[in-house]
Amino acid sequence: MLRFLIFCTAFSQIFLNRFGIQITSDFSLAPSYLFLYVALAFAWAKGFVRIDFALLTLFAAVVSASLFSFVYGRPERSFPSLGLYWFVYFPFVFRPINPGRPDRNLCRLYYPLLLILAAAGVLQFFLQFVFHREWLFDYRPFIPPFFQNKNNMNTVISIGGLIKSNGFFLLEPSYFSQWMAYAILFFGVFGGSFAAGALFLLGLALSFSGTGIILLGVMMVFFISSISFGRRLFLIVSAAVFLLLGLTSQSHLTFSRLEEFRGGTGVRTTSAAARFLNPRITLQEGLSNSVLSFFLGNGPGTINKVIKDYEGHDPVWAKLFFEYGLIGGFLLLFFLLRSIHASQGSFLFFIPFFVQWLLLGGHLLTFDVVVLFVLYYKLAVYY
């Protein structure tokens, strides 16, 4: 039964990404997190995991610091955002009774799902040349409103007259590209057909998203030595072909994203600047208001309510410290790292998980990366 619940969590994380239970007008609760809580409750009842007192104490400190942030924060602070913050990170108080390094378990769980996702994403991209249907890239209008994922995502994005692949099932091309990066890691380290590896690489390319490339680059820096010579050669040759195509064809659209980090003085207005550069300005302005805001933050849910004359996203490193200050921010980081260490997982997945969570999107209160963390460090050993 626990294996089934773990599978349902991973399955819903990918294939039910556009579904959700409506909580507010612009926020929906992901099915994957509901399955995760059911899996954790079942594992706890059956003695597979237990609540660690030290971790529970640390979580209480995180909750206390966040309450101070709420009390002394800006008037725009949000109690639902605070409650969601607690809900998202409470599962880290658990630790497995028999901790281990379930690397292959995680691969066995996700690899077939990612193979289907890659095929769907590639097919989606090429079908746009055959017929034009809005549902091909966003079928949420066919889902009853109460069960739609209403989170604010850029689902349909065009580039150079083409629409980026979002994997058909996912909310954003960036999500698709990051999943393909994990698929390539699974392929390189644990095996799989070279046809599957080529499919994963093609899916990554057709997402036209830099976040997956960044994530894959981080993975390769740390884990290239763990990949067999044949697969290493395959990935190197594929990268060389991709670079060659990028210099000689319309694939230069992908490389043009690098230009978004360049140019001019002052605040940049590109997508890359909004994701990676402008949040630093928001954070600096938010923490310099007063001593209280520096140490306690501006309060839950405030980063996107601040009036700005530029576009800025809310990556975890900015949102966490802007809203909860130095005390709350470092407490959450210490709590997560202590929980991960107590679960004794391997180094293999910690780096990509942490980089994806911290840098590559507004994941503080979204569930995708947190589900990966909890599944791997708390439950995958039993899959």
Side-chain angles (χ1 to χ4, degrees):
M1 183 63 178
L2 181 57
R3 284 172 55 90
F4 174 72
L5 291 172
I6 293 171
F7 174 80
C8 288
T9 303
F11 180 90
S12 61
Q13 186 184 9
I14 295 173
F15 297 112
L16 299 182
N17 192 241
R18 300 194 186 194
F19 293 79
I21 299 175
Q22 185 176 348
I23 304 299
T24 66
S25 60
D26 59 354
F27 174 77
S28 301
L29 184 60
S32 60
Y33 224 66
L34 295 179
F35 278 116
L36 181 66
Y37 259 88
V38 173
L40 278 171
F42 180 85
W44 176 73
K46 294 295 184 180
F48 294 109
V49 299
R50 65 180 177 87
I51 294 178
D52 185 283
F53 179 76
L55 294 176
L56 186 62
T57 303
L58 278 174
F59 182 71
V62 170
V63 170
S64 299
S66 65
L67 281 171
F68 277 106
S69 299
F70 179 81
V71 170
Y72 294 102
R74 292 171 180 255
E76 304 92 343
R77 63 193 183 278
S78 165
F79 187 78
S81 179
L82 178 64
L84 182 61
Y85 181 66
W86 299 341
F87 179 75
V88 168
Y89 294 101
F90 176 74
F92 286 89
V93 305
F94 292 93
R95 64 180 298 178
I97 297 297
N98 298 309
R101 298 186 173 185
D103 299 346
R104 289 193 176 276
N105 293 23
L106 197 72
C107 178
R108 187 165 61 247
L109 173 62
Y110 278 103
Y111 192 85
L113 302 179
L114 295 180
L115 199 57
I116 297 171
L117 178 66
V122 170
L123 183 63
Q124 176 197 53
F125 180 83
F126 287 109
L127 279 178
Q128 71 179 299
F129 298 105
V130 180
F131 61 92
H132 303 281
R133 296 288 187 273
E134 292 183 2
W135 60 262
L136 185 60
F137 289 89
D138 190 2
Y139 55 80
R140 277 182 296 177
F142 294 97
I143 304 172
F146 184 77
F147 294 107
Q148 288 183 23
N149 189 333
K150 295 183 179 295
N151 296 345
N152 185 25
M153 300 291 180
N154 297 317
T155 302
V156 182
I157 306 175
S158 61
I159 180 170
L162 301 175
I163 301 178
K164 302 179 182 183
S165 176
N166 55 34
F168 186 72
F169 299 100
L170 302 176
L171 281 168
E172 282 196 344
S174 63
Y175 283 7
F176 182 46
S177 71
Q178 290 168 39
W179 276 120
M180 290 301 95
Y182 282 114
I184 293 166
L185 177 65
F186 290 144
F187 161 78
V189 175
F190 300 111
S193 70
F194 284 93
L199 183 65
F200 296 146
L201 286 164
L202 183 58
L204 176 64
L206 297 181
S207 71
F208 292 97
S209 174
T211 57
I213 296 174
I214 292 171
L215 186 60
L216 182 61
V218 170
M219 292 174 179
M220 292 301 105
V221 167
F222 286 93
F223 308 121
I224 192 69
S225 61
S226 302
I227 300 174
S228 68
F229 175 78
R231 294 177 187 279
R232 197 183 311 172
L233 182 63
F234 172 79
L235 293 175
I236 291 173
V237 171
S238 299
V241 171
F242 181 61
L243 286 169
L244 183 62
L245 289 174
L247 294 172
T248 59
S249 73
Q250 289 299 312
S251 295
H252 76 276
L253 293 171
T254 297
F255 295 95
S256 68
R257 302 299 302 276
L258 297 175
E259 295 294 319
E260 296 183 2
F261 289 99
R262 298 179 55 191
T265 59
V267 178
R268 298 172 175 84
T269 58
T270 63
S271 172
R275 284 176 179 269
F276 299 106
L277 302 177
N278 296 347
R280 175 186 58 82
I281 303 172
T282 306
L283 180 62
Q284 184 177 1
E285 292 173 348
L287 295 186
S288 61
N289 287 332
S290 66
V291 174
L292 275 179
S293 65
F294 183 80
F295 287 104
L296 298 178
N298 294 275
T302 54
I303 191 170
N304 290 323
K305 297 177 181 177
V306 176
I307 297 175
K308 302 185 287 283
D309 58 357
Y310 55 88
E311 182 182 1
H313 292 184
D314 58 347
V316 169
W317 60 268
K319 182 177 176 67
L320 176 61
F321 288 99
F322 182 93
E323 296 186 356
Y324 297 100
L326 258 65
I327 294 176
F330 282 117
L331 268 175
L332 180 69
L333 290 176
F334 181 71
F335 167 63
L336 295 180
L337 293 175
R338 181 67 183 84
S339 178
I340 289 167
H341 180 265
S343 301
Q344 299 179 19
S346 75
F347 188 67
L348 181 62
F349 290 107
F350 170 74
I351 293 296
F353 286 172
F354 193 72
V355 168
Q356 185 186 16
W357 176 76
L358 191 67
L359 302 177
L360 300 184
H363 295 301
L364 185 66
L365 299 183
T366 59
F367 304 105
D368 298 272
V369 185
V370 176
V371 168
L372 273 173
F373 263 120
V374 177
L375 277 181
Y376 177 69
Y377 286 105
K378 312 299 179 181
L379 295 173
V381 70
Y382 301 114
Y383 186 76

